[in-house]
Amino acid sequence: MSLSQDEIAAAATDLFEAERAGAQIGLLSLRHPEMTMDDAYAVQAALVERKREAGRRIIGWKIGLTSKAMQDALKIDIPDSGILFDDMLFEDGGTVLAGRFIQPRIEAEIAFIMKGPLSGASITRDDVLAATDYVAPSLEILDTRILRADPATGQTRSIVDTIADNAANAGLVLGTQRHDPAAVDLRWAGTILSRNDEVEETGLGAGVLNDPVAGIIWLVERLAAYNQSIRAGDVVLSGSFIRPVEARPGDRFHADFGPFGTVTQSFA
């Protein structure tokens, strides 16, 4: 890593306060041009600890940047990950209060709810299926506590900004339908995402590393490198198979996953 412990702590504090204030900070990649992905995950870990000290409870993980389009946009070839907290969970069919987020966007994903732990660097597809209680349709709410682009230089956010900012994680909405992952071809589990009854995006589960289960395998292997693991009871968002759609005040989103289920969320 290239950042000092003081620099890591300062970045985490800035992100924590930005979320509380609803005001974005400047690009960390501009502040620290030498910043690496290991630095970014160290900032994320420090941010997570600040949130835990504030009383928030970890409920799982999210996997991001699983599609080729999003990886190409950030000039990387691997996904990233972040932490889910209890205050991020929104009820299906509910409404997000005005001012809760800064620049929210919506993605559609398949959520894995775990009944057993997963750890180690040699996880198989069968291991993931055996440890999964059920899968469900879901929406992820993204937000960014870091500017998308620096107004002075035009420099855009990089992968280190996104990772440090808890992988742009902000909320999740779980559908009520539950499925046995071994009984469903998740590659063909797709959605039609509508905003205010107008179709905005469509996609299939295969957009996530060719199989959403592959996203879980990647996460477990990445966590192993940091002596972390998935726990029984965790919710894991396996990665979006559509581009993020802006959530404006007054918008209503409906994700139709066909036989897999539906998820709805509105924004005041």
Side-chain angles (χ1 to χ4, degrees):
M1 295 193 300
S2 61
L3 269 62
S4 69
Q5 291 302 311
D6 286 345
E7 289 171 328
I8 289 169
T13 296
D14 288 349
L15 288 167
F16 182 80
E17 295 299 335
E19 183 174 6
R20 289 179 50 179
Q24 294 171 317
I25 65 171
L27 273 64
L28 294 178
S29 57
L30 193 59
R31 183 193 304 184
H32 303 291
E34 73 284 7
M35 191 174 183
T36 67
M37 289 180 64
D38 282 340
D39 290 321
Y41 277 116
V43 172
Q44 182 188 116
L47 174 61
V48 166
E49 189 57 33
R50 288 293 304 271
K51 292 187 175 188
R52 292 182 65 185
E53 291 171 354
R56 300 181 193 176
R57 180 174 57 87
I58 294 174
I59 61 169
W61 303 86
K62 69 149 285 185
I63 306 166
L65 303 177
T66 52
S67 71
K68 288 292 186 181
M70 293 302 292
Q71 289 182 4
D72 289 346
L74 287 177
K75 297 179 176 58
I76 61 166
D77 58 3
I78 60 172
D80 69 353
S81 66
I83 306 290
L84 301 176
F85 288 94
D86 54 346
D87 64 334
M88 294 179 175
L89 188 59
F90 291 84
E91 184 180 1
D92 184 17
T95 300
V96 176
L97 296 179
R100 172 63 189 271
F101 300 119
I102 303 171
Q103 292 181 334
R105 296 183 291 171
I106 290 288
E107 291 183 335
E109 312 196 15
I110 295 170
F112 287 67
I113 290 75
M114 312 309 296
K115 63 182 178 182
L118 284 172
S119 62
S122 57
I123 293 296
T124 67
R125 191 176 194 280
D126 287 342
D127 292 332
V128 173
L129 296 180
T132 302
D133 188 9
Y134 61 90
V135 290
S138 70
L139 294 174
E140 181 182 0
I141 303 172
L142 302 176
D143 199 13
T144 174
R145 281 65 61 171
I146 297 177
L147 291 171
R148 295 186 188 178
D150 178 66
T153 65
Q155 179 176 320
T156 58
R157 282 184 305 164
S158 74
I159 182 63
V160 296
D161 294 297
T162 301
I163 290 173
D165 192 20
N166 198 21
N169 191 16
L172 68 151
V173 189
L174 297 177
T176 58
Q177 299 81 1
R178 300 182 175 189
H179 304 274
D180 177 356
V184 180
D185 186 348
L186 297 177
R187 297 179 70 250
W188 286 96
T191 194
I192 303 168
L193 180 69
S194 299
R195 179 176 62 182
N196 305 328
D197 299 319
E198 181 178 348
V199 174
E200 292 285 349
E201 281 291 317
T202 64
L204 291 174
V208 178
L209 303 175
N210 195 39
D211 182 357
V213 175
I216 309 301
I217 294 172
W218 174 87
L219 176 63
V220 176
E221 292 176 347
R222 192 202 75 75
L223 294 178
Y226 293 85
N227 296 315
Q228 297 173 308
S229 62
I230 292 175
R231 308 167 302 173
D234 277 352
V235 177
V236 184
L237 299 182
S238 59
S240 179
F241 42 82
I242 64 169
R243 70 173 178 87
V245 180
E246 301 288 342
R248 307 160 305 193
D251 280 343
R252 178 181 181 274
F253 290 86
H254 178 74
D256 181 358
F257 287 76
F260 200 72
T262 62
V263 192
T264 301
Q265 189 70 193
S266 298
F267 287 78

